[in-house]
């Protein structure tokens, strides 16, 4: 992955079509999977760039900045983070999404109850 980093950064710039410093999943999927060394992909159990994007997009915003891409690749591939750690991050993201949905539901219920008392 260290060897692939300059090529990934150059590809990031080429694919950053809006020049906004961010890549969407669709833009990232255009990167050739061959840019990541095979041994690193096997270690991460990745078969395409969409899976890799979903792994690197830890906060679940659906975008990657250049620094997120670099930091994530260095963290996961170069520093040899174990797979259980990656799975834990995905699980925590799922929990965070569900908690946010529950909070939104509770807020709507409170607002409905408040509106009903004001009538």
């Amino acid at each position: 992955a260290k060897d692939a980093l300059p090529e990934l950064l150059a590809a990031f710039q080429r694919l950053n079509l809006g020049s906004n410093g961010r890549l969407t999943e669709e833009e990232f999927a255009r990167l050739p999977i061959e840019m990541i060394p095979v041994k690193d992909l096997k270690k991460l159990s990745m078969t395409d760039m969409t899976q890799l994007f979903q792994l690197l997009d830890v906060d679940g915003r659906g975008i990657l900045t250049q620094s997120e891409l670099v930091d994530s690749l260095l963290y996961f591939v170069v520093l040899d983070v174990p797979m259980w750690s990656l799975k834990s991050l995905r699980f925590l993201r799922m929990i965070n999404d569900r908690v946010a949905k529950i909070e939104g539901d509770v807020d709507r219920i409170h607002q409905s109850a408040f509106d009903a008392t004001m009538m």
Side-chain angles (χ1 to χ4, degrees), residues 47-89:
T47 58
D48 63 38
M49 293 304 272
T50 299
Q51 288 178 329
L52 183 58
F53 179 92
Q54 291 169 355
L55 178 70
L56 299 178
D57 181 26
V58 175
D59 62 8
R61 294 181 303 151
I63 59 165
L64 284 178
T65 64
Q66 184 172 331
S67 65
E68 284 175 320
L69 175 65
V70 172
D71 292 348
S72 296
L73 285 176
L74 290 174
Y75 182 74
F76 293 129
V77 178
V78 177
L79 297 177
D80 199 25
V81 173
M83 185 54 76
W84 64 264
S85 178
L86 305 179
K87 290 180 181 178
S88 294
L89 288 173

